[in-house]
Amino acid sequence: RKYVLETLSYTTYIFTISDHTAEILKNHGFDNVEVCGDLRIDTMKELTGSDIPDAIKKLSIHTDRPWFVAGSVWSSDLVILSRFVKEKHDEIRFLIAPHVINEKSINEIKKYIELDVALFSEFKGDRQLPDVLILDKYGLLKYAYSIGEWAFVGGARNRGLHNIFEPLAWGVPVSFLKPHSRFQEAFFFEEMGVAMAIHSHTDLHYFIENFNKDKTKEKINYLMSTRSVSSKILNTIKEKGVPGF
């Protein structure tokens, strides 16, 4: 900590994601600190402004049941997620993307789910849509969230919670496992009422009953329209006359 504080003492101005971080720095004597928010909020705007691949659009036409999209799923996520899938598969369609796409992770999903499962890459629409599709192609998950009414993002109990900004960009409420204390963005979106940390499969039932896409989209659209983190940083740099800019 002493080394970090000493390094920061040479900076002209410090931008932080959260009030908590800013308060810590101020308590250590830094007065050149400003809370700007998370730059990933700006990437949400970029994502929703891009074109959704046709392969994902084709799934969105299946409206007989709402979609639940689970992304970057690990084994620890499947333990809880699979029970929920088995209980709700007759009411909801599921699209599940493993955190690593390989034969081992695909077989693991099939083992846990024990339902009618098909690979996204092999589904041609010439058969009835299965209860569960496994997304086995990289680069599509951030767009696949757009078809969901709800989302789950994995990794919180492993190396780290994966990207919850992607589903939220499309206005899709997001869930993830506890503990999540290391991830400031999780708390931020929980406070907004668009995300929920869960402990068990029963929490997922509460999640789908109490979170909906319309309200989430309204809150997220307001956030994106009123907060441009990069613009705030650049404007502050100009106002402060930071050398080099």
Side-chain angles (χ1 to χ4, degrees), residues 73-138:
V73 172
W74 293 64
S75 299
S76 57
D77 302 310
L78 282 170
V79 172
I80 291 172
L81 188 62
S82 60
R83 292 190 63 180
F84 175 69
V85 173
K86 291 173 185 176
E87 292 168 353
K88 302 296 289 185
H89 71 93
D90 57 338
E91 302 172 33
I92 298 172
R93 294 197 187 279
F94 292 87
L95 180 64
I96 301 177
H99 77 284
V100 174
I101 298 174
N102 56 31
E103 186 177 358
K104 179 182 177 182
S105 60
I106 289 170
N107 287 336
E108 187 174 42
I109 293 173
K110 291 179 178 178
K111 182 185 76 173
Y112 272 102
I113 299 300
E114 298 177 321
L115 292 170
D116 181 22
V117 176
L119 297 181
F120 176 85
S121 62
E122 296 177 354
F123 185 74
K124 306 300 181 184
D126 55 353
R127 51 163 287 193
Q128 183 178 351
L129 196 67
D131 297 323
V132 179
L133 270 180
I134 299 175
L135 187 59
D136 58 336
K137 284 191 173 184
Y138 285 113

Side-chain angles (χ1 to χ4, degrees), residues 2-228:
K2 182 179 179 181
Y3 172 77
V4 173
L5 292 174
E6 183 179 350
T7 301
L8 288 174
S9 68
Y10 294 102
T11 60
T12 303
Y13 211 74
I14 303 171
F15 297 95
T16 70
I17 292 176
S18 68
D19 294 322
H20 177 66
T21 304
E23 191 64 29
I24 291 174
L25 289 169
K26 288 176 181 178
N27 289 339
H28 282 88
F30 291 91
D31 57 7
N32 57 339
V33 179
E34 183 172 346
V35 180
C36 67
D38 199 312
L39 278 164
R40 287 174 291 182
I41 292 174
D42 290 354
T43 67
M44 295 168 75
K45 302 175 188 177
E46 296 172 9
L47 176 58
T48 54
S50 57
D51 293 330
I52 298 174
D54 290 338
I56 298 299
K57 288 181 180 178
K58 290 178 181 178
L59 292 181
S60 66
I61 66 174
H62 295 277
T63 57
D64 57 322
R65 284 183 264 168
W67 284 94
F68 187 109
V69 181
S72 304
V73 172
W74 293 64
S75 299
S76 57
D77 302 310
L78 282 170
V79 172
I80 291 172
L81 188 62
S82 60
R83 292 190 63 180
F84 175 69
V85 173
K86 291 173 185 176
E87 292 168 353
K88 302 296 289 185
H89 71 93
D90 57 338
E91 302 172 33
I92 298 172
R93 294 197 187 279
F94 292 87
L95 180 64
I96 301 177
H99 77 284
V100 174
I101 298 174
N102 56 31
E103 186 177 358
K104 179 182 177 182
S105 60
I106 289 170
N107 287 336
E108 187 174 42
I109 293 173
K110 291 179 178 178
K111 182 185 76 173
Y112 272 102
I113 299 300
E114 298 177 321
L115 292 170
D116 181 22
V117 176
L119 297 181
F120 176 85
S121 62
E122 296 177 354
F123 185 74
K124 306 300 181 184
D126 55 353
R127 51 163 287 193
Q128 183 178 351
L129 196 67
D131 297 323
V132 179
L133 270 180
I134 299 175
L135 187 59
D136 58 336
K137 284 191 173 184
Y138 285 113
L140 293 179
L141 178 59
K142 61 183 178 181
Y143 302 106
Y145 285 123
S146 67
I147 70 171
E149 289 296 319
W150 310 276
F152 173 91
V153 174
R157 290 185 181 174
N158 297 89
R159 295 181 182 176
L161 179 64
H162 288 259
N163 195 329
I164 63 174
F165 290 85
E166 290 176 348
L168 288 168
W170 302 106
V172 180
V174 65
S175 57
F176 39 81
L177 291 185
K178 299 177 181 179
H180 58 300
S181 58
R182 292 181 291 144
F183 313 107
Q184 294 179 359
E185 70 273 22
F187 287 105
F188 175 78
F189 287 118
E190 275 189 297
E191 290 178 357
M192 276 188 65
V194 297
M196 178 179 171
I198 66 165
H199 180 70
S200 68
H201 72 286
T202 56
D203 292 337
L204 282 170
H205 288 276
Y206 178 90
F207 172 65
I208 65 170
E209 290 167 4
N210 292 275
F211 287 73
N212 70 72
K213 193 170 185 177
D214 289 337
K215 289 183 179 179
T216 299
K217 186 175 290 187
E218 182 179 342
K219 292 178 180 180
I220 292 297
N221 284 345
Y222 177 78
L223 173 69
M224 291 193 296
S225 66
T226 58
R227 183 176 298 189
S228 174

